[in-house]
Amino acid sequence: MSLQEINEAKCEQLSQVDIGKAAILFSTPLCGTCKVAERMLEVVQATSVSYPIYKININFAPRFREQWQISSIPCLVVLHNRKVESQTYAMQSVDHIYKLLR
């Protein structure tokens, strides 16, 4: 099951509405490390994480790159009720991401 890709408008909507929690992977299509991070998130998503996990191409989200000060990719941003709860740059393992998203 692949991650749902969103655009900057959908990211804006997620950051403005009290949706509980959501996770967004900032990446680019040509980044090998991003592909590995995406695959690890797909495995975590299959283990029934209780909130949605999305991906967005950072090249098409300049506003959020600046607003959330994303310094490198891949970057996993966890939102909780309109606020950035955490930003993770090192996707160490599936287990590490699973514990982060629990």
Side-chain angles (χ1 to χ4, degrees), residues 36-37 40-41 44 90-100:
V36 172
M40 287 193 283
L41 283 165
V44 170
M91 310 296 158
Q92 300 170 6
S93 66
V94 171
D95 186 52
H96 173 74
I97 296 170
Y98 178 77
K99 288 177 182 173
L100 178 73

Side-chain angles (χ1 to χ4, degrees), residues 18-75:
D18 284 332
I19 57 166
K21 275 192 170 185
I24 305 169
L25 176 67
F26 284 80
S27 62
T28 63
L30 299 177
C31 169
T33 307
C34 297
K35 293 288 183 199
V36 172
E38 183 177 340
R39 181 65 188 126
M40 287 193 283
L41 283 165
E42 288 170 354
V43 171
V44 170
Q45 186 177 35
T47 63
S48 69
V49 172
S50 61
Y51 52 92
I53 303 172
Y54 303 101
K55 69 178 179 178
I56 189 168
N57 185 333
I58 197 165
N59 294 321
F60 300 117
R63 194 170 133 247
F64 289 98
R65 181 179 59 227
E66 292 174 21
Q67 180 180 344
W68 293 342
Q69 299 177 347
I70 296 172
S71 59
S72 68
I73 55 169
C75 178

